[in-house]
Structure formats: structure tokens, C-alpha cells
């Protein structure tokens, strides 16, 4: 009786639990249906837009690049089995007629193929290395598919063949158009370093880009060194392709405005040109980001000769490798301690360098530009001030009119100027050529034509220049640190009665010796 009560109690409980599960199952089923309809709508929308946004590429791909397949082969249903043997020498025309008769596939011989087998071009010039006039097929024995026979005959005659439009074409020359990924432009970059005295008399010496002259007759003594770069990328590629053409046969036509190069030559030469242009396009379209930061470090301690880079790099935080350290006397009497080092890291370490420099002097950022350029394309960076001055005064006297004065203005540009030229090599290495000109306008002196009060006056600018041009090898992401180009600023203050050195009467002399050092950081990054 007790067991019956338990069973009676359990039966309603089971139905109660089942009744609670039914609504939850229904809710899940409804959600599944909603998700299915939503995904179906998305799929349908993608299918409707496939013509605009999806591109179907037929054929195999390897490592993200398509494998070119020869689509000009004979279809299977047309590629008949054929037996061919030349008991006697036959001409190319006789061969084409035989193939057409046996396989039902028309064989057409192009005009350039006929000229090639006859040893003549259209302008009656002999083709170097071509077949003898009326060359015939000799000792050709073949049993197999038609495409194999065509390969054998074409190779023996120095020709090519392709199947197009239901017929076989035997040809010698082919035309192909290539794209050159370069903007048609001419680059002319020049860096000149000049020193010495020019008295402004005599004739200047020309015809030398680097050298020195010292002549009392001309009144001048100077030394000039210049680095010139002239390039025309499209023209250089054209010259390279021209050298690859078959002599007296190949020809080309270039359109710089559209960036295309059309070449007519044999298929083997065209394939070689294709590989060359593909490699050039990959090289010249590599993008380089150049981060530049120019710092000025002012040292107040007169006993401190320069920045102690060993102290900065000694902590090993930056992985620095010192490339060179040279010292020479500057023209103004200050020390020009120029050092170059490479940091294994980008500008993420620049803050640590600035903090380390701040422990030796006052640091402020003069400029911090970031520029982008392509491989082998120079890019200028300038942060400068242009100052106008009176360069020339001319007085002209006219009869019955009077005297007129003409003032000619001039301008001088001072500040930071830099030219950067990257050359990307394999494995994200690059050569970097940089030319830097740091100039400062010291004063504008007035010069009079005579001591009289009414004498004409002009202004002569005095500019202090620091110019250098160098090359360095870096890896993408490394930072080149250049230090040097020091400038001394000496000040002296005197006070007291009578002699300033009489300290009993309150005399005294205060001197200060400040040295300003320019630090340049360049970090190139090769962008894919």
C-alpha cells in the first residue's frame, strides 16, 4: 500500500516536469529557425553580389600566386593520333596541308613564320641565325598525338604554335604589353660642400665635381665636393629591355604617360622580359617610412667636451652598435665630434635616449617629421625660415628726368634641410643615403658704397652651415643616431668701479661657456 502511494505521487510529478520542459524546447526550436533564416538570407545576398565582389580564378595557386597554365593547347577531342614521317624533305606549307587532311584541324602559318623559314624579314634583311632559304622538314618521324608532333616540328624550325579559334597557328614573333609601375619623372638630386675664399674676380674653374684650387691670379682659393644623382626610371627600364631584344628582329614601343611597354619578339624573349619587369615592379613599389627626429642638446659645463655616448649606451637598454667616431676641428674653433651608431629598435627607444641625454644637458626637439617614399625615390625634408634682405641697389640717371633708384631684394633660407634616398635590399635590409644641411643666419651686415651719408647701402647675410652627405646600411626598424655639429656660445659679464678685476671695489667677471650639439635620429621601416 505504501509503494502504491509513492507510485501515485511520482506519476503526476513526471508529467509536471515534462510540461515545464516543453515550452523551453519550443523556444529553442524557434531560435534555431530564426538563426537558420538569418544565415540563409546572408548567403543569398552574397550569391546575388558575387558578380560584383567575388572573382573566380580558375587553375591552381601556389603560395598565393597563380600557376600559369597553357590554355592554347589542342582540346582533347581535337588532339587526334597521327603518324608522320618525312621520306623526302617537305616544306612547312606541305606539312600544314598534311596535318589538316589527316586530323581535320586547320594549320595556319603566319607571315613572320614564313619569312623566318625563308631567312628573310619583310624589309629583305637577313635574320641572324635563321634557317636557310626554303628550309624543309627532314628526318621527322612521329607517332602519337598531334600536339607532340607540333612541338617537334616547331622546335626544329625555331617557331612556336598555339591553338586558337579552332585552328593551329604556327608563328615566329608575338606582341605583348607590359605594365611599368613607375610614375614618369626625372630625379635630379645634388649635394654640394664648398669652402674657401672667393674674391669675386677672375673666371671660375669648371669641369670638376670634386677638387681644390688655389690661385693668386684669380684671387680665390676654394674646395668643392658635390654628389649628383640623376635618374629616369622609365627610361632605364626601356634601355634594359632594348638590350634583351633579338637583334634586327625584336622591337618595342613605350608609352610613359600610361606606363606601358609593348614588345614584339619571340615568346622566349617575351617571357624573359616578363620576369625582368615583374622583378623591377616589385622592387620599385616597395614603400619605405622614414621617421626623423632632430634634437638639440645644450651642455652648460665648460669642462664637458661632448656627449658621453658610452654612458648612454652602457646600460645595454638599446642594443647599440657603434659604427664610427671621428673628431675634427670646426671652422669656428669649436669641436665637431661626429659619431654614428645604430640601435636595434625603432623610435620606441627614443624616449629612453632623450631621458639619458637630459642627464647631460638640456634637450629640446627641433623637428620630428615622418615621410613616406618608394624604393630608390629621394624625398626632401625641410624645416627652415626664409629671410628677405636688400641684395642690390642700382641708380640710373636719365637726361631731363633725373635719377631713379632700383632696389633688388634677396632671400636666404636657414634651418634644417635633409634629402633621404632609400635602396631596399633582400631580407628587409636597405642602403640609406642622406644629405643634411643645418644652417643658421648669424647676421645681416650693412655695406655702404661710400663713407658719405648718402651712399647706397646693401645687406650681406652671414650664414653658418653644417653640411654632410653619407651612406649607411641598415635593417628595417633600426635607428641611426648621428651626433655632432657643435656650436659654442661664450658669454662674459663684468662689473665694478674702475677695473673689473679689482674685487675690493666690487669688481667681478662672470663667464659662461655653452655648447649646443645636434643629435639626429633616422629610423626607416620597409612597408609591405
Amino acid at each position: 500500500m505504501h509503494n502504491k502511494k509513492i507510485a501515485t505521487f511520482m506519476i503526476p510529478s513526471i508529467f509536471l516536469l515534462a510540461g515545464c520542459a516543453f515550452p523551453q524546447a519550443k523556444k529553442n526550436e524557434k531560435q534555431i529557425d530564426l538563426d537558420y533564416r538569418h544565415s540563409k538570407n546572408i548567403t543569398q545576398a552574397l550569391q546575388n553580389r558575387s558578380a560584383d565582389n567575388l572573382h573566380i580564378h580558375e587553375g591552381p595557386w601556389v603560395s598565393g600566386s597563380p600557376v600559369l597554365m597553357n590554355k592554347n593547347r589542342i582540346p582533347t577531342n581535337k588532339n587526334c593520333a597521327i603518324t608522320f614521317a618525312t621520306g623526302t624533305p617537305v616544306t612547312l606549307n606541305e606539312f600544314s596541308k598534311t596535318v589538316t587532311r589527316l586530323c581535320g584541324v586547320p594549320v595556319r602559318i603566319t607571315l613572320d613564320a614564313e619569312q623566318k623559314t625563308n631567312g628573310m624579314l619583310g624589309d629583305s634583311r637577313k635574320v641572324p641565325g635563321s634557317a636557310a632559304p626554303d628550309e624543309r622538314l627532314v628526318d621527322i618521324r612521329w607517332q602519337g598525338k598531334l600536339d607532340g608532333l607540333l612541338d617537334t616540328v616547331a622546335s626544329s624550325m625555331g617557331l612556336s604554335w598555339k591553338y586558337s579559334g579552332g585552328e593551329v597557328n604556327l608563328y615566329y614573333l608575338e606582341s605583348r604589353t607590359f605594365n611599368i609601375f613607375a610614375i614618369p619623372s626625372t630625379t635630379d638630386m645634388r649635394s654640394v660642400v664648398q669652402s674657401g675664399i672667393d674674391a669675386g674676380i677672375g673666371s671660375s674653374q669648371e669641369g670638376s665635381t670634386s677638387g681644390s684650387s688655389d690661385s693668386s691670379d684669380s684671387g680665390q682659393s676654394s674646395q668643392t665636393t658635390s654628389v649628383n644623382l640623376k635618374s629616369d626610371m622609365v627610361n632605364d627600364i626601356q634601355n634594359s629591355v632594348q638590350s634583351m631584344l633579338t637583334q634586327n628582329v625584336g622591337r618595342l614601343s613605350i608609352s610613359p604617360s600610361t606606363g606601358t611597354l609593348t614588345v614584339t619578339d619571340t615568346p622566349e624573349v617575351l617571357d624573359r622580359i616578363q620576369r625582368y619587369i615583374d622583378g623591377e615592379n616589385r622592387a620599385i613599389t616597395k614603400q619605405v617610412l622614414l621617421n626623423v627626429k632632430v634634437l638639440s642638446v645644450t651642455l652648460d659645463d665648460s669642462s664637458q667636451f661632448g656627449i658621453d655616448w658610452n654612458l648612454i649606451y652602457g646600460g645595454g637598454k638599446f642594443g647599440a652598435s657603434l659604427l664610427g667616431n671621428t673628431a675634427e676641428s670646426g671652422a669656428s674653433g669649436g669641436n665637431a665630434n661626429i659619431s654614428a651608431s645604430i640601435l636595434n629598435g625603432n623610435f620606441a627607444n627614443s624616449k629612453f635616449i632623450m631621458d639619458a641625454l637630459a642627464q647631460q644637458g638640456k634637450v629640446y626637439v627641433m623637428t620630428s617629421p615622418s615621410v613616406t617614399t618608394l624604393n630608390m625615390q629621394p624625398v626632401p625634408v625641410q624645416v627652415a625660415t626664409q629671410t628677405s634682405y636688400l641684395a642690390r641697389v642700382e641708380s640710373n640717371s636719365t637726361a631731363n628726368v633725373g635719377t631713379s633708384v632700383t632696389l633688388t631684394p634677396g632671400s636666404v633660407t636657414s634651418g634644417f634641410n635633409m634629402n633621404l634616398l632609400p635602396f631596399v635590399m633582400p631580407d628587409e635590409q636597405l642602403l640609406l643615403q642622406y644629405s643634411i644641411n643645418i644652417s643658421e643666419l648669424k647676421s645681416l651686415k650693412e655695406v655702404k658704397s661710400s663713407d658719405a651719408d648718402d651712399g647706397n647701402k646693401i645687406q650681406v647675410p652671414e650664414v653658418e652651415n653644417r653640411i654632410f652627405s653619407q651612406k649607411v646600411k641598415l635593417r628595417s626598424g633600426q635607428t641611426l643616431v648621428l651626433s655632432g655639429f657643435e656650436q659654442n656660445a661664450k658669454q662674459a659679464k663684468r662689473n665694478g668701479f674702475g677695473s673689473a678685476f679689482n674685487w675690493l671695489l666690487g669688481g667681478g667677471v662672470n663667464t659662461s661657456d655653452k655648447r649646443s650639439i645636434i643629435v639626429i635620429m633616422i629610423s626607416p621601416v620597409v612597408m609591405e
Side-chain angles (χ1 to χ4, degrees), residues 297-311:
V297 182
T298 302
L299 307 177
D300 293 330
D301 189 355
S302 60
S303 63
Q304 187 173 357
F305 293 102
I307 298 175
D308 189 354
W309 289 104
N310 293 325
L311 179 62

Side-chain angles (χ1 to χ4, degrees), residues 29 74-75 136 152 238 242 308 322 330 358 361 424 439 455 501:
E29 184 179 358
I74 300 176
R136 297 169 181 262
T152 302
Q238 178 185 358
Q242 183 71 51
D308 189 354
L322 190 64
V424 180
S439 59
F501 295 97

Side-chain angles (χ1 to χ4, degrees), residues 17-29:
L17 292 175
C20 294
F22 287 153
Q24 184 64 33
K26 242 179 164 182
K27 183 178 180 181
N28 293 340
E29 184 179 358

Side-chain angles (χ1 to χ4, degrees), residues 102-299:
L102 295 177
C103 287
V105 178
V107 178
R108 188 175 66 87
I109 304 172
T110 62
L111 178 61
D112 59 287
E114 291 182 355
Q115 294 174 347
K116 200 271 179 186
T117 55
N118 293 330
M120 301 296 292
L121 286 175
D123 56 1
S124 301
R125 288 181 299 174
K126 179 69 178 177
V127 180
S130 64
D134 297 328
E135 183 180 4
R136 297 169 181 262
L137 296 173
V138 182
D139 294 333
I140 298 294
R141 302 180 184 276
W142 177 262
Q143 185 175 4
K145 294 296 184 179
L146 176 59
D147 56 358
L149 174 61
L150 292 172
D151 290 338
T152 302
V153 172
S155 61
S156 66
M157 303 289 286
L159 303 176
S160 302
W161 71 272
K162 62 182 177 180
Y163 181 85
S164 177
E167 65 180 13
V168 173
N169 293 307
L170 280 169
Y171 63 96
Y172 176 47
L173 301 178
E174 183 181 0
S175 295
R176 196 178 302 177
T177 300
F178 306 94
N179 292 318
I180 302 175
F181 302 150
I183 298 175
S185 60
T186 301
T187 301
D188 189 353
M189 187 177 70
R190 185 180 183 190
S191 176
V192 179
V193 179
Q194 184 174 1
S195 64
I197 300 173
D198 187 356
I201 58 177
S203 59
S204 60
Q205 297 183 359
E206 297 180 354
S208 175
T209 58
S210 178
S212 63
S213 62
D214 188 355
S215 175
S216 59
D217 295 337
S218 62
Q220 62 182 8
S221 175
S222 64
Q223 182 176 359
T224 302
T225 302
S226 64
V227 179
N228 298 329
L229 172 64
K230 292 184 179 181
S231 64
D232 188 343
M233 196 168 293
V234 176
N235 185 65
D236 293 341
I237 293 177
Q238 178 185 358
N239 293 335
S240 298
V241 173
Q242 183 71 51
S243 65
M244 300 168 68
L245 299 180
T246 304
Q247 186 178 5
N248 295 331
V249 175
R251 56 187 183 271
L252 64 83
S253 175
I254 190 169
S255 175
S257 58
T258 59
T260 56
L261 178 67
T262 302
V263 183
T264 300
D265 211 312
T266 63
E268 293 80 7
V269 174
L270 294 180
D271 291 340
R272 188 160 61 247
I273 293 174
Q274 182 73 67
R275 292 190 295 269
Y276 164 73
I277 291 184
D278 289 344
E280 291 297 292
N281 284 336
R282 285 192 299 269
I284 63 182
T285 54
K286 286 186 178 181
Q287 194 160 277
V288 181
L289 173 64
L290 296 163
N291 298 307
V292 181
K293 186 166 290 188
V294 182
L295 309 176
S296 177
V297 182
T298 302
L299 307 177

